[in-house]
Amino acid sequence: MSEREIRRVVIACDVQDEIGPAVRKAAELAARCGVPVHGVFLQNENLRRLAGLPLGRPVSLSRTEPPQSFDTGELEKLFSVLAGAMRRALAAAAEEAGLDWSFAELRDVPSAAGALLAEGDMLVLEAGLGGFAGSWRPRSLWESVAGDLGGMVLLRRGEAAGRRRVVLVICAASADHARTVDAVRALAQPRDETTLLSAGAPEAEPDAALAPMLAMGGIRAAAIERAGSAAEIRERVAALDPRLVILETEALDAEALQALIAETRCDLLLIG
Amino acid sequence: MSEDFPPSRIERSALLQQPTGAVPAPAAAGRPLPAARLRQCCDSGGLAFETTADLPDLAGLVGQERAVDAIRAGIGIRHKGFNVFAFGPAGAGKHTLIQQLLQAEAATAPTPPDWCYVNNFADPHRPRRLMLPTGRATALRDAMQRLVAELRLALPAAFEREDYRARREVIDQQIKHRQEEAFGALQHKAEQKGIALLRTPMGLALAPVRNGEVIPPDIFQRMAAEDRKRIAGDIETLQTELETIVRKIPDWEREHREAVRQLNRDTSSVVVKHLLETVRAAFTDLHEVVAYLGEVEHDILEHAEEFIAERREPGEGEAPPPDLASFRRYQVNLLVDNSGRKGAPIVYEDHPTHQNLVGRIEHLARFGALVTDFNLIVPGAFHRANGGYLVLDAQRLLAANFGWETLKRVLRAGEIRTVSLEQLLSLASTVSLDPEPIPLEVKVVLIGSPTLYYLLAELDPDFPELFKIAADFDDRVARSAETTGLYAQLIATAVRREKLCPLDRGAVARVIEEAARTSGDAAKLTAEIRGIIDLLQEADHIVEKAGRKIVGPADIEAAVEARRRRSDRIYRRFQEEIGRDTLRIETTGERVGQVNGLSVIALGSVSFGHPSRISAQVRLGKGEVIDIEREVALGGPIHSKGVLILSGFLGGRFGRSGPLSLTASLVFEQSYGGVEGDSASAAELFALLSALADAPVGQALAVTGSVDQHGHIQAIGGVNEKIEGFFDVCRARGLADGQGVLIPAANVQHLMLRQEVVDAAAAGRFAIIPIETIDQGIELLTGLPAGEPDATGGYAEGTINQRVAVRLAAFARRLAAIAAPPAERRPRRRTRGDDE
């Protein structure tokens, strides 16, 4: 495999994300792949609309005083400041890594981010697991839309403690594995153990096509398993407790995909 | 003056001839001393050994019985304040003797207990002290180290067991379900009403949604009023519920933490109790230790999760695990370990600062901050000496940073409180440790100079209370057959201790002579043994270079000479300038009103004598003797006192019938530094009498000695150096007949002159003449009889005293004539003796 399937790393952030670390991680990934990095700052239209509504105010656990005011003016200022910060962080990270870079602001709802992607883009989204209160958290902005964006979307959750150094590749029989192989090469680390989980009918043999392709890319699959249903796939994910799941989204239907996104705590690369 | 005393000048030089003969003649005032009296040699034949290798070691010092008794008393009395201040000259062997005495006492004293500092779990800023029987503190320290090591393995293992994980999962799920149930129900309720729970930079917010997106404000405004009102009402209700849930979260979290902690306690309890039981079993007889172990157990159970956390790699954004520092609180800081010691400790602290005495609290730099704990308490000299003896140098103690104040504070309090200087002086307000003080039982021995002792005794009111025993070391010991033998033994001991070549008898005898010479008294031996050891080392070097094994008398002599040569630059410069007549000293001929005085210059450890020209001038005046040295502030008070005394003598002898009508001036010619001491007062009086009597003084003689108001010559110091100083001048010019030195008869016993001086005296080429009175001296100097007063108080014609009296009478007449009214004045013929 000589030509790379990943041609650009796109990092998208909104006001909730920790922009600095997110940009640096994306730049590192781009450097590993040897591709340019593109930054997108999302001016979340939903927040703008919320700020314009004469309704309830945000509730924060950390504040004991009455709910804070949240108006459009403040939000616009915040958008402006954070967009500038992201641009500067991206420039610095790209310069340090010797990468070409570009930057854009997107004034839309999160689901519109998919429209920005070109062929060969890997979109990196921060979907940290930090709870709002205790262990409960409202669903991440990006988690809600990741399944619908198409292309290659990496949901970064951070490296939670206790994750085993396993990269689980869930492949669909009908998919073109070229991007998957390239993604494994880009994201797997030397100490990782790669497991293939082939989704298909219960009576079908595991899809063995991916293993030799990985081997050609220098990656040896430690195990090749088969999962006949979405439930089995989710069980295996829970049992293996991997640090990274690479999923060819054709392996699951939309509902199962959303459930998997909601359940997993590790990094998740969707290849649609 | 006795009649047989030779009155004429012709006979004077004959008088100065040294008596010959093998048998030393007894010393007679006014006559040259026999050579045997000029140096009291040590007869090597009287020493009953071949070399120092034959002699046993000497325990202690020679002739310091008083000091030894005092130190023994100080060591023996256990009451408070009976500490010892040992003082005496430097190099007298005080340290060595004290060490020997303390070692003897300490060997039979009980071995003190061990001391530790451990964590105070109730108040970590106040570490607890633990006293354990000798040698058992090490066991406790090691046991606690093992305990922590075992807990770091056993506790994580306990927490990795399936039953723990299952119970923990249940607890975690409980709170998770609680939260998810509450928020989930709210979220579901909101969704039912077309309202979404959104995360904003300010927190959670509720907003009306349509197709998964927030309804834009303009559309919302175009909605029917009742719809808007309904949505607002729903949001208001949901927001109230959301706030209620949010307020409950801290309580749920607290309950969760408590549940986890209880689970951890239960899980770790079995392991901890089992492991601690092993430690406890070894210390059941020590209640304090058992109580401490109880606190350890409680603390470990409370913080069991720290043992688990260190095994886990932190995830991104997670706090790092507690490092090994967190287990430091279970360590034992073994402050004083007396295991292996027999008897009481003897500690010599050569840098007795505050911190070195009471210990210090060190700090570690962590993440840019300085932190400390009880493990960083470092013991001081008091800790190490507790139960034994602490030896300190008084001068260093006083010069050291707060050493003296700290010593007093600790001795008064009877306990060691480790506190930093910053805290002591209230210079720092940062939180630090305040370790529990350790009770102190120690005997302090200070070693210093007499000056320090007397200054402290006078100026510091605490001193007599804290140092009730004074051990006064003598600077010299009496020279007798017994002490000579002991001194030889002392030399032998030093030779062995310093690993030097042994000395033969002759060398030992020569060293003893040098010891007498150093003491400045032929009848004494110096107690400053360090100087003697230096001499032995130098002689050893000479012998080694020569490839020999035994030190002989010539080696000692060579060492003495080498020492002298090294340090005599200034002396040689004086001699050279005298030889070149830059400094005018006459050693032949006669001069009126001029006498060769002798003085000693001390430069550090070196002192030497040299002659000075003392001259006197007399003139009409009001009976005063002007000390030019004093007038120009070059004369010290004792010198001025000497001049006033000789004035008293003059008045007493010649001013009984009327006031003295003269003014006399006395000066040390070519003296450009200060003059102190009264050892030249006799010479000054001789110069004055010579000037008054117009009687020339023989310059072949030099004079030293002080005088009292009755004309008695009194002893002075440095007699050997003074004689040798004049001898060297004369020898450089070629010894001539009649040369010598007049010394006080009382100084004869001090004579330990260089052999070449003795040899010159034996050959009749240089005389040392003791004198007891001014009259004896003036006769020797002028060759004229002094003259005894007759029944009328007059003196025989031609005597010195008669000539002085006549001169003074002439002054008086002249003064009376000047003082009389002009009409009464009559011209008269000038007679000899009148002032010109």
Side-chain angles (χ1 to χ4, degrees), chain A residues 15-16 46 49-50 52-61 67 70 74 78 109 130 132-136 138 158-159 161, chain B residues 176 179 183 197 199-208 213-214 216-217 220 232 235 239 243 246 249 253 312 315-316 318:
Chain A
V15 292
Q16 295 168 41
N46 277 333
R49 290 172 186 173
L50 176 65
L53 287 171
L55 296 169
R57 292 291 173 259
V59 175
S60 168
L61 181 66
F70 182 60
E74 280 184 20
L78 194 63
V109 292
F132 167 73
S135 57
W136 182 84
E159 294 170 18
Chain B
K176 192 176 175 186
Q179 293 176 349
F183 281 107
L197 195 56
R199 198 168 183 174
T200 76
M202 306 293 185
L204 291 176
L206 293 157
E213 293 178 4
V214 175
F220 181 77
I235 286 180
Q239 181 141 335
E243 286 168 12
V246 165
I249 289 173
E253 291 293 328
R312 206 157 52 84
E316 190 177 5
E318 280 194 311

Side-chain angles (χ1 to χ4, degrees), chain B residues 281-453:
Chain B
F283 298 96
T284 47
D285 56 328
L286 303 175
H287 300 305
E288 269 194 310
V289 176
V290 171
Y292 164 68
L293 292 174
E295 291 173 24
V296 168
E297 179 180 343
H298 179 74
D299 190 79
I300 292 173
L301 293 179
E302 285 297 308
H303 301 93
E305 64 274 16
E306 291 177 11
F307 288 86
I308 310 155
E310 69 156 343
R311 289 278 295 266
R312 206 157 52 84
E313 280 187 22
E316 190 177 5
E318 280 194 311
D323 60 15
L324 293 178
S326 67
F327 305 123
R328 289 169 59 88
R329 65 179 181 274
Y330 306 120
Q331 289 178 0
V332 172
N333 181 358
L334 179 48
L335 209 63
V336 182
D337 176 15
N338 281 315
S339 59
R341 179 186 298 286
K342 293 222 181 326
I346 303 167
V347 174
Y348 175 70
E349 174 56 61
D350 68 348
H351 187 39
T353 59
H354 165 82
Q355 288 195 327
N356 287 350
L357 288 174
V358 297
R360 61 187 182 278
I361 299 168
E362 296 185 331
H363 291 75
L364 290 174
R366 292 186 65 192
F367 305 116
L370 292 177
V371 295
T372 187
D373 64 21
F374 69 96
N375 287 294
L376 296 174
I377 301 172
V378 179
F382 272 122
H383 293 105
R384 297 195 302 275
N386 202 0
Y389 307 93
L390 176 60
V391 184
L392 301 170
D393 183 280
Q395 186 166 344
R396 289 181 186 175
L397 180 69
L398 288 162
N401 206 359
F402 282 86
W404 177 241
E405 285 304 315
T406 298
L407 176 84
K408 289 196 297 179
R409 188 180 305 107
V410 170
L411 289 180
R412 271 199 306 264
E415 60 183 25
I416 316 164
R417 186 177 285 275
T418 302
V419 57
S420 71
L421 264 183
E422 294 81 12
Q423 288 173 292
L424 195 70
L425 301 174
S426 304
L427 293 177
S429 55
T430 49
V431 176
S432 188
L433 300 181
D434 183 13
E436 192 177 0
I438 290 179
L440 179 69
E441 178 70 39
V442 74
K443 183 72 70 180
V444 176
V445 180
L446 284 186
I447 301 174
S449 65
T451 311
L452 271 185
Y453 175 80

Side-chain angles (χ1 to χ4, degrees), chain B residues 415-588:
Chain B
E415 60 183 25
I416 316 164
R417 186 177 285 275
T418 302
V419 57
S420 71
L421 264 183
E422 294 81 12
Q423 288 173 292
L424 195 70
L425 301 174
S426 304
L427 293 177
S429 55
T430 49
V431 176
S432 188
L433 300 181
D434 183 13
E436 192 177 0
I438 290 179
L440 179 69
E441 178 70 39
V442 74
K443 183 72 70 180
V444 176
V445 180
L446 284 186
I447 301 174
S449 65
T451 311
L452 271 185
Y453 175 80
Y454 292 116
L455 277 174
L456 286 169
E458 185 173 338
L459 300 175
D460 190 336
D462 297 329
F463 181 69
E465 288 296 312
L466 297 174
F467 289 88
K468 295 182 177 175
I469 301 290
D472 188 356
F473 283 71
D474 210 339
D475 61 346
R476 53 193 189 165
V477 296
R479 185 179 174 187
S480 65
E482 184 192 0
T483 54
T484 297
L486 290 172
Y487 214 88
Q489 235 180 297
L490 186 68
I491 291 167
T493 308
V495 163
R496 271 191 291 277
R497 192 176 59 229
E498 303 294 326
K499 298 182 173 52
L500 307 175
C501 294
L503 280 68
D504 68 17
R505 277 187 301 190
V508 170
R510 184 65 192 86
V511 173
I512 288 170
E513 288 170 12
E514 193 59 23
R517 161 78 186 207
T518 305
S519 76
D521 189 339
K524 302 281 184 184
L525 297 171
T526 182
E528 294 172 27
I529 192 69
R530 190 193 297 155
I532 297 299
I533 293 172
D534 291 347
L535 179 66
L536 296 176
Q537 287 170 331
E538 191 145 355
D540 179 79
H541 174 66
I542 292 168
V543 168
E544 239 180 30
K545 267 176 65 179
R548 287 180 279 115
K549 300 286 181 194
I550 304 287
V551 179
D555 302 315
I556 299 294
E557 188 59 45
V560 170
E561 186 52 36
R563 263 176 158 189
R564 186 181 298 139
R565 202 167 45 247
R566 278 199 304 273
S567 55
D568 72 350
R569 187 183 66 83
I570 304 293
Y571 177 63
R572 289 294 159 207
R573 177 66 63 84
F574 266 98
Q575 293 286 326
E576 181 188 339
E577 297 305 330
I578 291 170
R580 296 168 67 192
D581 282 338
T582 310
L583 287 175
R584 274 193 57 206
I585 297 294
E586 296 177 30
T587 52
T588 55

Side-chain angles (χ1 to χ4, degrees), chain B residues 180-198:
Chain B
E180 283 180 355
E181 202 174 8
F183 281 107
L186 180 73
Q187 202 164 14
H188 181 70
K189 197 170 170 182
E191 283 169 4
Q192 295 292 312
K193 294 176 185 292
I195 294 167
L197 195 56
L198 297 178

Side-chain angles (χ1 to χ4, degrees), chain A residues 10-147:
Chain A
V10 179
I11 170 71
C13 293
D14 94 323
V15 292
Q16 295 168 41
D17 296 326
E18 286 188 41
I19 289 171
V23 166
R24 278 196 299 278
K25 290 280 182 189
E28 284 170 19
L29 178 59
R32 240 187 350 261
C33 298
V35 297
V37 61
H38 176 65
V40 176
F41 181 77
L42 173 69
Q43 295 188 9
N44 191 343
E45 195 60 24
N46 277 333
L47 292 181
R48 190 177 274 115
R49 290 172 186 173
L50 176 65
L53 287 171
L55 296 169
R57 292 291 173 259
V59 175
S60 168
L61 181 66
S62 63
R63 296 176 190 278
T64 53
E65 65 270 22
Q68 297 296 295
S69 65
F70 182 60
D71 59 35
T72 309
E74 280 184 20
L75 189 66
E76 294 299 339
K77 267 190 245 169
L78 194 63
F79 282 155
S80 172
V81 168
L82 292 178
M86 184 174 178
R87 185 187 179 88
R88 286 192 297 277
L90 185 68
E95 190 178 333
E96 190 179 336
L99 298 173
D100 290 337
W101 64 280
S102 53
F103 177 76
E105 290 184 50
L106 174 64
R107 181 175 173 153
D108 210 330
V109 292
S111 57
L116 297 173
L117 299 180
E119 181 73 21
D121 279 353
M122 179 188 277
L123 176 62
V124 181
L125 302 172
E126 291 295 316
L129 294 169
F132 167 73
S135 57
W136 182 84
R137 61 191 175 91
R139 204 168 182 202
S140 150
L141 164 76
W142 297 118
E143 283 178 346
S144 311
V145 299

